[in-house]
Amino acid sequence: MPEHPHVEIVRQGYDTVNNGDTDALAELIAENVVWHVPGRSSIAGDYQGRETTCAYFDRLHELTGGTYQTELHVAVGDDEHVISVDHRFARRNGNIYDENGLVVFRFRDGRIVEAWQISMSPYAHDAFFA
C-alpha cells in the first residue's frame, strides 16, 4: 500500500530539518503555521507563522552547533493528520540530548498548518535547552 502524500511531506520535512535547510522547510509549511514546542526551556512555546517557525529550527541548529538531528522511525497519516515517531539527538555545552519523541501534524491544502511536538523525556528536554 503506498504512503499517503502527507506522510511523504513529513519525511521531506525531517530531511530538511536535519540538513538545516529552512528554505526547503518553508515550502512544506503554511504561511500561518503554528508549531507547538512543550516545556519551560528557552525554546518552548508556540511559534506562529512560517518565518517564526523556520527561525525556531535555525535556533535549534545554532544552539547545538549544527548537531541537532531527528531520525524518523515511523509516520502514518491521512487527509488531515500525520503522526510521527522519531529519535532526537544533539550535543550542547558538553551535554548530550538523546531521546524519542512524537509529532502530530495537521494538514490543510497539502501543507503543514499545525504541529505539536511531544517529548518522551520532558525534563531532559527542558534541561538540555535551558
Side-chain angles (χ1 to χ4, degrees):
M1 185 166 142
E3 284 187 329
H4 193 281
H6 290 159
V7 172
E8 180 55 34
I9 290 169
V10 166
R11 288 187 188 285
Q12 291 172 17
Y14 274 83
D15 288 343
T16 65
V17 168
N18 286 336
N19 294 327
D21 188 354
T22 51
D23 289 337
L25 178 63
E27 296 297 316
L28 305 175
I29 60 179
E31 180 68 35
N32 61 344
V33 66
V34 179
W35 202 280
H36 306 279
V37 179
R40 298 180 179 171
S41 72
S42 64
I43 61 166
D46 293 337
Y47 295 87
Q48 301 199 13
R50 181 182 291 149
E51 188 175 313
T52 305
T53 299
C54 286
Y56 157 71
F57 285 104
D58 285 339
R59 182 82 175 129
L60 278 179
H61 284 281
E62 178 185 317
L63 288 170
T64 64
T67 65
Y68 184 84
Q69 295 287 297
T70 56
E71 179 186 356
L72 180 60
H73 288 287
V74 66
V76 294
D78 60 20
D79 290 340
E80 189 172 357
H81 292 94
V82 171
I83 298 171
S84 66
V85 178
D86 61 47
H87 180 259
R88 304 160 189 183
F89 179 86
R91 288 188 170 91
R92 179 176 185 223
N93 300 329
N95 297 312
I96 293 176
Y97 175 61
D98 187 10
E99 76 156 340
N100 293 316
L102 302 169
V103 183
V104 178
F105 299 91
R106 188 167 62 86
F107 281 80
R108 185 179 314 119
D109 300 326
R111 291 188 187 240
I112 299 166
V113 294
E114 196 162 15
W116 296 266
Q117 287 184 205
I118 301 162
S119 172
M120 294 297 120
S121 304
Y123 297 119
H125 182 269
D126 276 353
F128 184 81
F129 287 106

